[in-house]
Amino acid sequence: ASDLAGGTVALDPNTEYRVLTLTNISVVDRPYDGTTRVELTGAQLDNAVASDLAGGTVALDSSTEYGVMSDKNARANKLLTAQYELTGADQDNYILTLPT
């Protein structure tokens, strides 16, 4: 018979962050208002662990769901920088990316 020893062993499992991609982002059209901020809507997280989404331990912070245009001038097809942040107890296990 063999003897088993109990105790703690320090291991480095090299667990990597899970990469999330935002999908279904839409820009809310608006009239010129002199600002560079635009509302974004419809964003969904792709590739999250289902139980984290269902349990609310990872989600998009809706207060940060907006974009910033390169300038305040009116015209179509402008580039913008999307502003999104994660929230929830498991947010630090994820990296958020935008679609390319």
Side-chain angles (χ1 to χ4, degrees):
S2 64
D3 292 322
L4 298 176
T8 302
V9 177
L11 299 174
D12 184 7
N14 196 25
T15 303
E16 296 181 5
Y17 296 102
R18 189 171 187 108
V19 177
L20 300 179
T21 303
L22 286 173
T23 58
N24 299 324
I25 302 170
S26 296
V27 177
V28 177
D29 291 336
R30 64 166 174 82
Y32 173 78
D33 67 2
T35 70
T36 59
R37 184 175 170 141
V38 292
E39 184 179 342
L40 302 176
T41 187
Q44 296 175 338
L45 294 173
D46 186 34
N47 197 38
V49 174
S51 61
D52 286 353
L53 282 175
T57 59
V58 67
L60 285 175
D61 180 350
S62 61
S63 70
T64 64
E65 193 171 4
Y66 68 93
V68 177
M69 298 182 296
S70 56
D71 61 52
K72 66 178 181 145
N73 300 320
R75 74 173 174 274
N77 299 319
K78 295 180 78 164
L79 292 177
L80 63 85
T81 301
Q83 305 290 320
Y84 283 95
E85 291 181 18
L86 294 174
T87 187
D90 289 323
Q91 69 178 336
D92 293 336
N93 296 314
Y94 293 93
I95 294 174
L96 187 58
T97 62
L98 294 171
T100 55

